Amino acid sequence: MSIDVHSTVHGPPGAPVVVLSGSLGSTLEMWEPQVAALAQRFRVVRYDIRGHGRSPVPEGPYEMADLGGDVLRLLDRLGADRVRFAGLSIGGMTGLWLAAHAPERVERLAVLCTSALLGPAETWAQRAATVRAEGTGAVADAAVGRWFTPGFAEREPSVVERIRAMVASTPAEGYAGCCAAIERMDLRADLAAITAPTLVIAGAEDPSTPPEHAERITAGIGGARLRVVADAAHLASWEQADEVNGLLLDHFAAATTHPKA
């Protein structure tokens, strides 16, 4: 069952809507480096995924259909018929699900540092069990260690600590419930159904979803374009914000042709 997730809106009324969907263990604040750039041209909607931030925390486990359904419910509340959608990590998985299962709602799609199948399943089951037993603080350091390159972590320790605190404050049930969604996810067969023009972005040094995951997504979606961002790990949107912002602006501002039959 879908829920009402917490969201914020920035940008000119009446402008095309861009929805930003974040990673496991994040709040909508993870998109802070994108808001000012995108809001000059678009109505930017950020939201906390279920079980995260200020959104409700339903009892898990969750499914990708739950996460996608939450977005559709949000769009209905906002009166947004068709949107441009960007998602990173589990947010990108949500975007792939939406573009395949509700294509009439997705005008253009960008997926960042994500995968259509992210195994092994036992890893996600074990992480969910750890979080339920010990809290999200038990996995925060390891998670953020994958999100930034060592060089960035050395240059920007305050950013890394801020993001680590974000992960550690995530409700255990919400984090574990989303782990279960990733554990059971397999979107490979859905890729061919995606007709929205799609941009796939990978971090060249991402240990969580290495570029080969992006390559497989790109190969599975007709006409999709791949861009690999250098000197970036999993949170490429923060570590290389200027480059990612430029890619998103170019992609979302382009004219959309009619979907193929």
Side-chain angles (χ1 to χ4, degrees):
M1 179 181 295
S2 61
I3 62 169
D4 287 330
V5 292
H6 169 68
S7 64
T8 63
V9 182
H10 296 84
V17 174
V18 167
V19 178
L20 302 177
S21 182
S23 63
L24 177 67
S26 75
T27 71
L28 54 79
E29 291 181 4
M30 69 153 277
W31 293 107
E32 186 177 294
Q34 280 65 58
V35 175
L38 293 176
Q40 294 181 40
R41 301 191 60 174
F42 300 102
R43 192 80 162 148
V44 179
V45 177
R46 295 178 292 163
Y47 74 98
D48 293 329
I49 63 177
R50 64 165 54 204
H52 289 61
R54 295 173 60 187
S55 286
V57 187
E59 185 176 351
Y62 310 151
E63 302 285 350
M64 291 310 305
D66 296 322
L67 304 181
D70 293 343
V71 176
L72 295 175
R73 182 161 168 161
L74 173 62
L75 299 186
D76 290 343
R77 291 203 333 263
L78 297 173
D81 291 332
R82 285 176 67 81
V83 303
R84 291 144 172 88
F85 188 98
L88 187 147
S89 195
I90 195 171
M93 300 166 194
T94 303
L96 294 173
W97 187 94
L98 283 167
H101 293 268
E104 72 283 359
R105 307 303 293 270
V106 181
E107 183 84 14
R108 300 183 75 84
L109 175 66
V111 294
L112 297 80
C113 305
T114 194
S115 179
L117 177 69
L118 192 57
E122 311 85 65
T123 299
W124 295 103
Q126 291 166 4
R127 194 188 301 187
T130 297
V131 166
R132 284 200 168 99
E134 304 175 34
T136 46
V139 300
D141 286 337
V144 175
R146 296 186 291 268
W147 285 13
F148 299 109
T149 61
F152 182 89
E154 185 176 345
R155 293 190 307 272
E156 301 286 350
S158 61
V159 171
V160 174
E161 175 52 32
R162 177 183 174 187
I163 301 299
R164 191 207 68 80
M166 181 188 297
V167 176
S169 67
T170 303
E173 184 63 21
Y175 191 103
C178 285
C179 285
I182 299 172
E183 176 190 346
R184 293 192 292 274
M185 176 198 72
D186 187 349
L187 298 171
R188 292 174 298 177
D190 290 343
L191 299 178
I194 295 175
T195 56
T198 301
L199 171 66
V200 185
I201 297 175
E205 300 179 48
D206 181 1
S208 296
T209 52
E212 52 263 33
H213 290 260
E215 292 167 1
R216 288 192 284 268
I217 292 171
T218 305
I221 301 174
R225 296 182 302 121
L226 172 63
R227 295 292 182 269
V228 179
V229 178
D231 299 317
H234 195 53
L235 206 60
S237 57
W238 198 298
E239 189 162 2
Q240 298 295 341
D242 288 345
E243 182 173 353
V244 170
N245 291 350
L247 291 169
L248 293 177
L249 283 166
D250 288 347
H251 181 62
F252 287 149
T256 301
T257 57
H258 293 293
K260 64 179 181 285

